[in-house]
Amino acid sequence: MSRYDRAITVFSPDGHLFQVEYALEAVRRGTLAVGVRGTDSVVLGAERKSAAKLQDARSARKMVKVDDNICLAFAGLTADARVLINKARLESASYKLTLDERVGVEYLARHIAGIQQKYTQSGGVRPFGISTLVAGFDPEGKPCLYQTDPSGTFSEWTANAIGRHSKTVREYLEKNYEETSGDDTVKLALKALIETVEASAKNIEVAVTTKDGGLKFLPDEEVERVLELIKADKEAADARRRGGAAASDPPAAPGATT
């Protein structure tokens, strides 16, 4: 294998580009990020990276604003993400200046994926070690959620996860996804996150994009409030389950000893 992983432009005999696969492995080791598309909002949630005691936590965000109507979350190498985010912001501003309208989510996802793909077939460079979730509203008012990866592919999703334990979270979303609106979309994203992340506002950050309200990063107090609602719902469901199980038990026979 070592004969074929020294240059990004060399295929292995079985058709692999090992540098791209190494970049995908960097994504799988990155912090978890989740995206859920609702009928009136798109929610991104991410595992919050623990910051040093003297570090400003705002400088270690895994989600960033690209435009008034678009938010981006990433998993993988933060330095690589910074470069791609700057390119995405530049393209968004250029699009608005040239056409006098907001950039579309699909257009921006395709642009990011195009940059990532160029870095898989050029000498002297390496692939970007990140995957992104691009969420927002198109100028027509349609909620959108796209994913890009180091190979340069992009695709649209109703819900998805990237980063560490993404397979577990994606399986949860596949079983539990349904069209939601308002707080229910936030709750679904947080339920998916806490499958593998401790249920605490200090470990989670959430961004919500709506058609009229634009992009909003939820404060810790709001995240904690939703987590408490999820906990209460779970306790109520457990109580109903226990009550149903007790009701289904057959009554003891007269005179039977216990």
Side-chain angles (χ1 to χ4, degrees):
M1 186 174 73
S2 60
R3 293 173 54 197
Y4 302 101
D5 67 353
R6 295 176 184 174
I8 185 61
T9 54
V10 178
F11 281 94
S12 69
D14 54 354
H16 290 270
L17 286 172
F18 287 117
Q19 290 294 328
V20 174
E21 295 189 6
Y22 298 158
L24 288 166
E25 183 60 29
V27 171
R28 285 189 285 268
R29 293 169 182 260
T31 50
L32 178 66
V34 173
V36 178
R37 188 181 76 190
T39 57
D40 59 356
S41 64
V42 189
V43 178
L44 291 178
E47 179 183 359
R48 181 173 287 169
K49 194 174 181 181
S50 58
K53 186 175 181 180
L54 301 180
Q55 182 183 9
D56 187 340
R58 293 174 299 177
S59 64
R61 280 189 177 275
K62 304 298 289 186
M63 299 186 295
V64 296
K65 176 181 178 180
V66 178
D67 202 346
D68 292 336
N69 60 316
I70 297 176
C71 183
L72 182 148
F74 65 90
L77 304 179
T78 303
D80 288 13
R82 186 181 68 247
V83 173
L84 267 185
I85 290 164
N86 287 339
K87 289 179 181 291
R89 285 172 169 167
L90 181 62
E91 180 64 22
S92 177
S94 176
Y95 187 97
K96 187 180 294 184
L97 182 65
T98 304
L99 300 178
D100 196 27
E101 63 180 35
R102 294 189 308 185
V103 67
V105 184
E106 180 183 0
Y107 176 91
L108 197 63
R110 185 187 295 113
H111 178 76
I112 292 171
I115 296 171
Q116 288 178 291
Q117 195 279 330
K118 285 179 183 177
Y119 278 71
T120 68
Q121 62 177 45
S122 303
V125 298
R126 64 164 176 80
F128 285 93
I130 68 163
S131 282
T132 69
L133 292 174
V134 187
F137 278 76
D138 273 344
E140 297 81 16
K142 174 190 172 187
C144 300
L145 175 66
Y146 284 85
Q147 181 203 347
T148 75
D149 66 34
S151 67
T153 60
F154 77 100
S155 51
E156 187 173 10
W157 297 74
T158 52
N160 199 10
I162 55 176
R164 189 165 49 239
H165 306 305
S166 58
K167 183 179 179 181
T168 302
V169 175
R170 197 177 298 116
E171 288 173 353
Y172 174 86
L173 289 168
E174 288 171 356
K175 293 177 183 176
N176 296 278
Y177 177 81
E178 57 185 27
E179 282 202 347
T180 54
S181 60
D183 274 357
D184 289 338
T185 310
V186 180
K187 285 170 73 173
L188 179 58
L190 284 175
K191 284 178 181 178
L193 264 176
I194 62 177
E195 282 291 295
T196 60
V197 178
E198 184 184 348
S200 171
K202 68 180 182 180
N203 299 316
I204 296 172
E205 53 182 316
V206 179
V208 181
T209 308
T210 57
K211 181 179 178 181
D212 299 322
L215 173 61
K216 176 185 177 184
F217 290 92
L218 297 188
D220 289 352
E221 297 78 14
E222 180 68 12
V223 175
E224 200 64 55
R225 181 187 71 82
V226 180
L227 289 172
E228 288 296 327
L229 289 175
I230 293 171
K231 182 179 179 182
D233 289 346
K234 185 177 180 181
E235 290 174 350
D238 289 343
R240 284 195 299 270
R241 234 181 343 260
R242 288 194 297 270
S248 63
D249 289 339
T257 58
T258 59

